[in-house]
């Protein structure tokens, strides 16, 4: 019988380290005008990101970790267009 200490790749700290490493690889700050806008993201994803630090994906496809006041920036025109098309 094995214990978690006998096989560190099956959970625990090794898993957390691997997940963090994957997140850091995935989290790319995208250059361009995306940085100048606030983006539409599901509310539950914003809350999850605030708790876990995981990046979110906006309707327009931008992926980042929120950390600034969206009220200080204009709404992303692509996100707005997609949101309005979903409202019908």
């Amino acid at each position: 019988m094995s214990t978690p200490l006998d096989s560190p790749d099956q959970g625990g700290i090794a898993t957390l380290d691997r997940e963090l490493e994957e997140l850091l690889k995935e989290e790319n700050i995208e250059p361009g005008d995306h940085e100048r806008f606030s983006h539409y993201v599901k509310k539950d994803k914003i809350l999850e990101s605030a708790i876990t630090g995981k990046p979110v994906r906006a309707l327009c496809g931008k992926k980042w970790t929120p950390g600034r006041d969206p009220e200080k920036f204009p709404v992303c025109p692509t996100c707005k267009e997609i949101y309005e098309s979903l409202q019908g």
Side-chain angles (χ1 to χ4, degrees):
M1 179 158 87
S2 67
T3 66
L5 294 176
D6 294 334
S7 50
D9 289 343
Q10 294 181 357
I13 294 174
T15 300
L16 293 175
D17 287 343
R18 189 170 49 252
E19 288 176 0
L20 178 58
E21 187 176 311
E22 289 172 12
L23 282 174
L24 291 173
K25 285 180 188 175
E26 290 176 8
E27 185 179 347
N28 295 323
I29 300 297
E30 298 175 4
D33 288 342
H34 288 291
E35 298 303 315
R36 299 181 194 186
F37 297 114
S38 59
H39 296 273
Y40 288 170
V41 177
K42 290 183 179 181
K43 286 182 184 180
D44 62 326
K45 295 296 182 184
I46 294 288
L47 178 59
E48 179 183 342
S49 177
I51 294 170
T52 65
K54 289 182 179 180
V56 296
R57 185 169 304 274
L59 288 178
C60 68
K62 175 178 174 43
K63 188 174 183 180
W64 84 108
T65 303
R68 56 186 185 167
D69 182 2
E71 299 290 325
K72 295 182 180 181
F73 301 90
V75 173
C76 168
T78 306
C79 281
K80 186 175 183 177
E81 183 179 326
I82 293 169
Y83 179 77
E84 288 173 353
S85 73
L86 294 173
Q87 296 301 309

